[in-house]
Amino acid sequence: MSAARTVPAPAAGSAQPTVRRLIVYTLLFALVVVTAIGLSGLLGRLLGAGTVLVAGDVAGLARSLAFTLIGGPMAAGLWWFVWRRLDDAVERSSVGWGLYLTGMYAVSLISSAAGLLGALAAVIGGERLGWQLSLSNGLVWAGVLAWHRWMWRHPRKSPSLISDVPTVVGAVYGLIVGVGGTITALANLLDTAIQGFTSSASIGDPWWRLALQALAWGAGGGVIWWWHWIHDGGRRLKTDFADVALVVVGILGAVLLAVGGTGTVLFVLLRLAFDRTDPISEIVGPLGAALAAGAVGSLVWAYHRTVSVGRAETTLQAAKLVTSGVGLVAAATGIGIVVNSLLSIAATPLAGGGARTLLLGGISALAVGGPLWWFTWKPGVPPEPTELGRRGRRVYLIAVFGLSAIVAVITLLVIGYRVFEFLLDDVTGSSLVDRTRAPLGLLVATGLAAGYHFAVWRHDRSLTASAAPPKRTVRKVILVAAGDPEPLVRVAAEVTGASVTVWRRADVGTSGAVPPTAVPPGPAPAGSEGTTGDLPERLALALEGVAADRVLVVTGPGSRLDVIPLGAD
């Protein structure tokens, strides 16, 4: 008969469970991916049976069989081991379980959407080969997605940590795919219409086929976005990760699209009006894509600005700062380009269309970025007191000033190099202005940005210092007074910043009134003699510079005022 041996549980704080989860979930992730690749390969061969390409791929068949028949059972066994342990609340609340589901959900969502939408686009495009493999990939990964979505939504075994991340990831991916497909489809339609006006023929696939393919991607992305954002409640999430995704993708990405598209449209219109050195078809070439990007980006930006209104103040400030940053970059770029082109024209009065085109490009960037920065940042309006104390504004100002200063220093070095190169070079070439006009334009733009934001930062610091509450030198003031004590209470609170407790004298108004005996009267401070009407002013003077845990203030009889510092309890 053998004695039973007890294996002690891991000590609290032990790293063994963490290492074990890391190994198990990483291995499970790899096995699921391998199995999905094998199954998609086999399904692709089944859908494409009869084609020479599929029939002759012996190596591909062997790989698919190995991945499926060996990786599949191993993945199933390991998953069953993991699934049984998830009855424990500690396992459910582990970071490894949440990260595994989040990573696999994202991979399966992206792979299934790419496969299914790619197969649909290939069928619309009239491709007879290739769509089977995309369809098989999409179907297999859609099954993996459904499986992991079931685990993610399980009532008893769903992850306790980062459970909202799959919703945000799905909404962001759907938004990106939907916006990209919509812009491409709309750009194709607009390009076709513009080519009809300019009588320029296009060679290639029919325009409607390309538009339908892009529209398929746009519709698919829209469905994915709606499912996660509306159906799964992504718009109601107010976690830090959801707010970051809203600001970065919904605000910053949309503003970049809107500004880039609008600036390009204005540039094309200016070239049509003042610079027709190139053929009309080349000038209006980017117009369709620019109109589509500007329109779709503006709509997405407007929607997410509305959504951000119900978020935290830090999220609203972040949305404002990234919008202001985009406008600032566009305006500074425009200023640099305008200075560059003006120097080119000044150095060479007979400059060709290149300098004019450059000038129009700078004007376009400045005309779009300048108003956006002005109406977002509002330089003429003083900031709210609550905004001054937020870290986001300070970080933004320091980042803009620091980056602008770094670029300005580098630009100065480049200008110095160009100047010395011009002075030391014996070969006749371009003039000094031509060699330095590009870095000079960049120096002007970055210098203006750095100087302005440094001045705003200094001004904010002075406002914050002046608005800071006075340093508390007294913790509590005990006021013994007769009559109306409110003026004295107000003065004591303003001078010391401490709480004030009022005790009323019981000997006032009685015959034979005598001074209180609870606190021996001390010598009155300088300037304490006078009328009772100037007691608040005298109290303010007497409390200036007093540092004590508590202060006893006794008024009366008459105009007498005693300020007595007391120690701690």
Side-chain angles (χ1 to χ4, degrees):
M1 180 176 180
S2 59
R5 184 170 61 93
T6 302
V7 179
S14 173
Q16 295 179 17
T18 303
V19 175
R20 187 257 305 165
R21 295 187 192 105
L22 176 63
I23 295 174
V24 169
Y25 288 125
T26 302
L27 185 58
L28 180 60
F29 187 94
L31 288 174
V32 171
V33 171
V34 166
T35 305
I37 293 174
L39 285 174
S40 63
L42 293 178
L43 184 58
R45 296 180 71 87
L46 180 62
L47 294 175
T51 62
V52 178
L53 180 62
V54 172
D57 187 12
V58 178
L61 177 59
R63 182 180 61 249
S64 299
L65 288 172
F67 283 7
T68 304
L69 299 180
I70 298 177
M74 294 175 63
L78 185 58
W79 172 81
W80 181 248
F81 168 77
V82 170
W83 189 248
R84 292 182 61 185
R85 295 182 66 93
L86 287 173
D87 290 325
D88 185 3
V90 177
E91 291 291 330
R92 285 184 56 198
S93 61
S94 65
V95 179
W97 176 230
L99 287 177
Y100 167 76
L101 274 185
T102 300
M104 186 53 68
Y105 189 91
V107 171
S108 57
L109 174 64
I110 295 172
S111 300
S112 60
L116 295 176
L117 295 178
L120 179 59
V123 171
I124 294 174
E127 298 181 16
R128 304 182 62 181
L129 298 175
W131 62 269
Q132 297 93 341
L133 183 58
S134 296
L135 180 60
S136 64
N137 278 329
L139 291 176
V140 170
W141 282 108
V144 176
L145 174 65
W147 174 33
H148 285 81
R149 183 177 176 85
W150 170 75
M151 290 190 288
W152 170 41
R153 294 291 189 177
H154 197 275
R156 291 185 297 105
K157 300 185 179 184
S158 59
S160 302
L161 296 179
I162 60 177
S163 58
D164 63 315
V165 175
T167 302
V168 178
V169 170
V172 168
Y173 176 71
L175 180 63
I176 293 174
V177 173
V179 168
T182 303
I183 290 177
T184 305
L186 185 57
N188 275 284
L189 293 176
L190 293 174
D191 284 338
T192 302
I194 293 170
Q195 289 171 3
F197 282 111
T198 58
S199 301
S200 58
S202 61
I203 301 175
D205 291 335
W207 66 268
W208 57 267
R209 181 174 294 173
L210 297 175
L212 282 179
Q213 287 178 313
L215 191 59
W217 282 93
V223 170
I224 295 171
W225 172 81
W226 178 88
W227 184 265
H228 293 86
W229 186 253
I230 306 297
H231 180 270
D232 289 345
R235 61 179 174 177
R236 294 189 297 271
L237 292 176
K238 296 184 179 180
T239 60
D240 292 339
F241 184 71
D243 288 344
V244 169
L246 173 68
V247 172
V248 173
V249 180
I251 303 293
L252 177 59
V255 171
L256 289 173
L257 281 176
V259 170
T262 306
T264 304
V265 170
L266 181 58
F267 174 62
V268 171
L269 295 179
L270 289 177
R271 288 204 65 190
L272 289 175
F274 303 105
D275 181 25
R276 295 198 178 188
T277 55
D278 295 326
I280 300 297
S281 59
E282 293 185 12
I283 295 177
V284 300
L287 185 59
L291 285 170
V296 175
S298 299
L299 289 176
V300 175
W301 176 27
Y303 173 76
H304 286 91
R305 280 190 63 190
T306 304
V307 172
S308 66
V309 171
R311 303 300 175 105
E313 291 294 330
T314 54
T315 304
L316 292 175
Q317 187 188 44
K320 172 185 175 181
L321 293 179
V322 297
T323 306
S324 174
V326 173
L328 177 65
V329 171
T333 303
I335 292 174
I337 295 175
V338 167
V339 172
N340 183 3
S341 59
L342 290 178
L343 289 175
S344 176
I345 295 174
T348 310
L350 299 178
R356 189 185 311 138
T357 304
L358 192 65
L359 177 61
L360 296 179
I363 293 175
S364 303
L366 182 58
V368 174
L372 176 64
W373 175 80
W374 185 273
F375 289 111
T376 304
W377 182 255
K378 298 177 181 179
V381 179
E384 296 291 336
T386 56
E387 187 177 2
L388 288 174
R390 293 198 184 108
R391 184 183 304 173
R393 179 180 173 92
R394 297 195 299 269
V395 171
Y396 172 80
L397 291 172
I398 294 173
V400 173
F401 163 70
L403 292 176
S404 301
I406 292 172
V407 175
V409 170
I410 296 174
T411 307
L412 276 174
L413 294 176
V414 173
I415 292 174
Y417 166 76
R418 293 293 188 184
V419 170
F420 287 115
E421 181 188 40
F422 176 79
L423 295 175
L424 299 176
D425 191 5
D426 296 333
V427 181
T428 303
S430 58
S431 63
L432 179 60
V433 175
D434 285 334
R435 297 189 181 195
T436 58
R437 58 187 176 89
L440 277 173
L442 185 60
L443 178 63
V444 171
T446 54
L448 290 175
Y452 170 78
H453 288 86
F454 179 73
V456 172
W457 176 71
R458 290 285 303 272
H459 182 64
D460 285 0
R461 285 192 62 186
S462 63
L463 290 179
T464 304
S466 62
K471 184 178 180 180
R472 294 183 58 174
T473 57
V474 177
R475 182 178 63 87
K476 186 176 182 180
V477 174
I478 302 172
L479 174 63
V480 181
D484 183 14
E486 288 303 321
L488 301 177
V489 170
R490 186 166 52 253
V491 168
E494 290 177 355
V495 173
T496 63
S499 61
V500 181
T501 301
V502 178
W503 291 358
R504 294 187 177 274
R505 297 179 65 110
D507 58 345
V508 176
T510 61
S511 60
V514 295
T517 58
V519 179
S528 63
E529 298 298 332
T531 64
T532 58
D534 60 351
L535 273 178
E537 292 80 1
R538 292 163 50 210
L539 177 61
L541 293 174
L543 288 175
E544 286 290 344
V546 175
D549 183 72
R550 294 177 299 167
V551 172
L552 176 65
V553 177
V554 182
T555 63
S559 61
R560 181 164 180 170
L561 175 65
D562 294 317
V563 177
I564 307 170
L566 303 176
D569 292 335

